[in-house]
Amino acid sequence: MQITTKFSILILLTGIMLVSCNERRGAKSSRIDFDSIVVSRHIPLLQENDTTLPYADVNVSFTYPVKFRDSESLARLQQIFQGTFFGDSNYDALLPQEAVDQYLKEYTERYQSLSNYYYEDKTRLEGKMPSWYWYIMNNSNKILYRNDSLLSYAVEYSDYEGGAHGSSRITYTNIDLNGLVTLSEEDLFVPGYFKPLTEKIVAQLMKNYDAPVPDSLLMRGFFTIEDIVPNNNFWLDGENIHYSYNQYEIAPFAMGIIDVSVPYTELSDILLPDGVISKYLKK
């Protein structure tokens, strides 16, 4: 009888431990399922549906989470994705499809509001077609890195709205999946990090562009050394922090977006001991 009782207690305790472990795993589950909304559309400038007349060539590809932990966590994660993709907090409360529809509606209204200027320019050109009213807009996002505690992704935007050339930009978002908050440099580095991190970025650019001294970067096309500073536009992976500088930020348009990666091994003196890189990434 005593043996049977002890065996029953052991089974009960084992069951409790298994349930407890499963609950903990469920609470911290990092699995994320994604879906995408992809739209390609020609938006006419004028009421006439004539492809020989100006239109905007619009392409939107929005990837967003559809499954993550519980409904509250998923709603918060979707809120971050929509806010960073559409660039407006007014989209936060919308469903993903509603947000895309609203985004395209607002773009269409802005573009078609140019129709009066089109007619004025056409009159001024004595009936010739003003070619600068053909617009292009592309907006997309993509996942760059993910582990149990961290998610990094990029939003890539480009457009042409007349003029000599179009423009493009890339912005990064890094999410601590445990706290469901976005990360800035202050979450990674110790106070006073700005100057030493600047020096490390400049040193890496010197390697990338075969510049023997910092001022040599000016000969490679960069504006000034003073422009090259940490700009909070970074993403993280298992080995490096990756910065991007958009057009005209530190170099002319012709040089495009400037990318620079700094290994964590070169950042050990300025990393927060309990920061994201130290806790989740640094080997």
Side-chain angles (χ1 to χ4, degrees), residues 33-75:
D33 291 344
F34 294 91
D35 199 356
S36 296
I37 299 171
V38 179
V39 179
S40 295
R41 183 177 300 174
H42 284 176
I43 299 173
L45 176 66
L46 312 175
Q47 294 300 322
E48 298 90 340
N49 190 15
D50 183 348
T51 56
T52 66
L53 296 173
Y55 61 83
D57 183 5
V58 172
N59 297 278
V60 174
S61 179
F62 177 43
T63 297
Y64 61 97
V66 293
K67 184 177 180 180
F68 178 61
R69 290 184 192 154
D70 51 65
S71 58
E72 184 178 352
S73 299
L74 175 62

Side-chain angles (χ1 to χ4, degrees), residues 174-219:
N174 304 274
I175 304 173
D176 183 336
L177 294 174
N178 295 312
L180 288 178
V181 293
T182 58
L183 301 170
S184 67
E185 291 165 350
E186 285 71 21
D187 299 305
L188 312 180
F189 302 110
V190 298
Y193 74 89
F194 195 83
K195 186 175 184 295
L197 181 56
T198 297
E199 293 171 350
K200 295 173 191 295
I201 291 173
V202 171
Q204 191 62 48
L205 283 172
M206 289 167 57
K207 293 179 183 178
N208 294 352
Y209 288 86
D210 193 24
V213 295
D215 284 346
S216 300
L217 290 171
L218 305 183
M219 302 298 294

Side-chain angles (χ1 to χ4, degrees), residues 172 200-201 203-205 207-208 235 237 239-245 258-264 266-267:
Y172 299 118
K200 295 173 191 295
I201 291 173
Q204 191 62 48
L205 283 172
K207 293 179 183 178
N208 294 352
W235 68 278
D237 66 13
E239 298 180 352
N240 304 276
I241 181 169
H242 307 268
Y243 276 91
S244 284
Y245 296 88
I258 306 295
D259 298 313
V260 57
S261 302
V262 182
Y264 299 144
E266 297 183 13
L267 298 169

Side-chain angles (χ1 to χ4, degrees), residues 75-122:
R76 171 56 181 157
L77 196 58
Q78 286 183 342
Q79 180 186 47
I80 296 173
F81 266 70
Q82 290 179 194
T84 54
F85 186 84
F86 299 108
D88 189 333
S89 60
N90 291 329
Y91 290 90
D92 289 357
L94 300 176
L95 295 174
Q97 186 63 61
E98 293 174 340
V100 171
D101 292 343
Q102 181 65 22
Y103 182 70
L104 292 172
K105 179 177 180 290
E106 293 178 2
Y107 181 88
T108 299
E109 290 172 351
R110 288 195 306 272
Y111 177 61
Q112 293 183 336
S113 69
L114 301 174
S115 59
N116 288 336
Y117 299 104
Y118 166 81
Y119 287 117
E120 291 175 5
D121 286 339
K122 190 173 181 180

